[in-house]
Amino acid sequence: MDRKLLGIPASPGIAVGPVHLLRWEIPEIRHRIIADDAIPGELARLHVALDRAQERLAQIRDRVEHSAGPQEAAIFDVQRSILDDKELVGAVEALIKQNLAAEKAFEIVMIEWGQKFGRAAHPMLREKVGDLKDVEIRVLLLLLDLPDHDPVDIPKGTNAILVTHDLTPSLTVQLDREAIAGIATDAGTRTSHVAILARSLGLPAIVGLRTATQELSGRETAILDGSTGLLAINPSVADIDSYRERARQEELAGEELRHLAGLEAITTDGVRITLRANVDLPEEAELAATSGAEGVGLMRTEFLVVGRAAMPDEEEQYRAYTRVVKAFNGRPVVIRTFDIGGDKLPVGGFPTEANPFLGWRAIRMCLDQPELFGIQLRALLRAAVHGDVRIMLPLVVTVDEVRAARELLDQAARDLEARGAEFRRDVLLGVMIETPAAAVACDTFVNDVAFFSIGTNDLVQYTLAVDRGNANLASRFTPLHPAVLKLIHRTIVTAHRHNLDVAVCGEMASQPLMAFALIGLGVRQLSVAPRSVPLVKRIVRGISVEVAEDAAKAAVAAGTAAEAEAALRSRLAGVMGADVFFGDGSV
Ligand code: PEP
Ligand code: MG
């Protein structure tokens, strides 16, 4: 092979195929002044590009409607209406008439509009910034005569390795699973939402490659190993054969693990651990239910919104939640209210705040938009008729937020009653413990909530001040840092003291070594990616709580994450053998 690029393993599996390079970025535009007599030609060039962009969007729209559905296709209607906007086109024409080249004129107007939308008070307008950026890229590529790539251009059966800087919602909805075998991105980390979505879709993925789009030309072949984060460029036939063999072995190991689905998650000293699944898309529910999970510990509802032009209405949400509840047949299903913002891309757009992770997101946004939140709460209370729905609030920092949410939940119940709709009132309400504030002050919540669920992805991010999506910081994102372990321990102890249910639903729970540590810290409920259910069950069945407690004590006492990891590794290998560290590269 020519060379290897190493990124962060994001979604397991091996894919071999041609590289499809998708450079979907705003190209560099030179400041070009044109002569007076060139103005008519430049105006004509602008209109040709706008017309071609319209045609392209119409084609994509049709394709997406067919492959993903009408709601997803509506993004492209938004983009087409931007291109049709008389004010926008008029502003570009005016600049061309002042002797600016078409591409520069178009870029300037798009920047102005982006700022205008970004400052708008109404979220729907702010969300349009992402669509504006998509439109800008498309038209500029056409004006500069650069290839106007689209993932949908890849013929079915290509088995392409899609290499791109990052996945935007409009790119995500265009992904054709029959054409793409794997995804590799420069940006992102294991806990960023591209990675979570790839795992949900079962597409092998590597994120955080940093420079892959610069280093590749798009003419290469590659092996993508989503378990180790390795992208092997132009592999030899022997390389490909050896990876195919590895893929076969992974498949066999998977089969071995599947037989665990029917067995109990119980430690060697007889302590039962409840293993639930994280479900990101309603379509995953049926498969997740066969993984051996005892219910859903986290359903991320924002994926109903990502990549869409409009929020799902009450009926659609009701159907989505009901599908998951029914798939789990009476077992608990914890559904988290919208966690939009941060890197959970809002409707058809990008976050536009200076600090989106510290910004107007999740419960903050829902409480400020009671109508939008009310729709979700009503859908949840209605879905609860079909099973054991529990409602969970994200990014909570103070109990006031819980009280405000409860008032809105009561209001939702009154609205449904007035309408004569069927619903359940006695739904449990809990919170994610995913900010240091909530963890340190978790005792302030105990009288107002029925359960805690520790979200380690954000808890690590906020405790260590390490952006979870920044590939340059990936090695500093250390869940085993003593500060994180102490916050988790404190939360568990408080919950147990007050007889509250407490689970861990962040990525940490899915990784065998970390799951071992969590059990040692006192956690008895874990919610993990469906594929990790058997992997974690294998650990549970191979350890005793006594050994886990001793290991966790050593980890908490360690001065650094690396020392904590070494302490855990040696003890886990001591009881289960060194070959426990196999598989998805996450141990
Ligand atoms: C978390 O923060 O750990 C979590 C489970 O939620 P998300 O990854 O969706 O932010
Ligand atoms: Mg979170």
Side-chain angles (χ1 to χ4, degrees), residues 271-483:
V271 176
R272 271 202 38 83
I273 306 292
T274 304
L275 283 185
R276 296 203 174 115
N278 290 351
V279 169
D280 299 326
L281 302 168
E283 301 82 65
E284 272 182 278
E286 291 78 14
L287 203 65
T290 63
S291 67
E294 302 169 60
V296 173
L298 166 66
M299 178 183 177
R300 290 181 169 94
T301 56
E302 52 279 2
F303 286 100
L304 298 174
V305 176
V306 168
R308 295 265 302 255
M311 294 294 284
D313 63 16
E314 184 185 314
E315 225 26 62
E316 187 186 345
Q317 289 190 48
Y318 164 72
R319 280 198 303 274
Y321 307 146
T322 301
R323 176 167 179 178
V324 180
V325 173
K326 286 192 170 160
F328 280 86
N329 211 3
R331 293 181 182 253
V333 173
V334 178
I335 303 183
R336 181 174 74 187
T337 58
F338 290 131
D339 189 358
I340 307 173
D343 73 337
K344 322 281 185 38
L345 305 168
V347 196
F350 296 89
T352 51
E353 299 175 309
N355 288 305
F357 280 113
L358 305 181
W360 192 62
R361 51 172 293 204
I363 189 67
R364 303 167 185 183
M365 194 186 111
C366 287
L367 291 177
D368 289 352
Q369 301 262 304
E371 276 173 31
L372 181 145
F373 198 23
I375 295 171
Q376 182 170 41
L377 295 173
R378 292 196 298 274
L380 286 167
L381 292 179
R382 286 175 55 203
V385 169
H386 304 288
D388 182 358
V389 168
R390 303 177 184 184
I391 298 177
M392 177 154 78
L393 308 174
L395 205 79
V396 165
V397 295
T398 156
V399 70
D400 298 339
E401 291 160 334
V402 180
R403 292 176 185 151
R406 187 170 307 273
E407 270 176 32
L408 292 175
L409 194 59
D410 290 344
Q411 181 61 48
R414 286 195 294 275
D415 292 346
L416 289 171
E417 197 158 54
R419 228 165 74 184
E422 214 190 335
F423 70 101
R424 233 180 78 190
R425 198 182 281 273
D426 60 337
V427 171
L428 298 181
L429 183 66
V431 284
M432 300 269 308
I433 301 290
E434 56 180 347
T435 61
V440 171
C442 58
D443 54 308
T444 58
F445 293 94
V446 296
N447 295 323
D448 289 81
V449 304
F451 61 91
F452 291 157
S453 187
I454 304 176
T456 51
N457 305 337
D458 279 315
L459 188 61
V460 173
Q461 154 164 278
Y462 294 121
T463 304
L464 304 184
V466 171
D467 177 350
R468 63 191 267 184
N470 185 335
N472 293 323
L473 297 176
S475 65
R476 291 184 164 87
F477 189 91
T478 48
L480 295 175
H481 187 289

Side-chain angles (χ1 to χ4, degrees), residues 517-587:
L518 291 170
I519 292 168
L521 288 172
V523 178
R524 296 291 175 265
Q525 295 183 26
L526 298 167
S527 189
V528 305
R531 189 185 162 278
S532 298
V533 171
L535 215 58
V536 176
K537 195 179 277 186
R538 197 167 72 106
I539 297 292
V540 170
R541 293 175 59 87
I543 60 165
S544 67
V545 164
E546 198 186 339
V547 171
E549 279 176 353
D550 169 61
K553 203 178 276 174
V556 173
T560 67
E563 285 166 26
E565 181 173 337
L568 292 164
R569 257 178 196 275
S570 63
R571 285 166 176 85
L572 185 58
V575 284
M576 294 195 68
D579 69 342
V580 63
F581 302 110
F582 80 97
D584 68 1
S586 57
V587 188

Side-chain angles (χ1 to χ4, degrees), residues 111-127:
I111 290 173
E112 278 170 9
W113 276 52
Q115 287 170 345
K116 197 163 73 183
F117 283 178
R119 282 193 303 267
H122 198 284
M124 268 329 213
L125 267 188
R126 264 189 278 144
E127 285 146 10

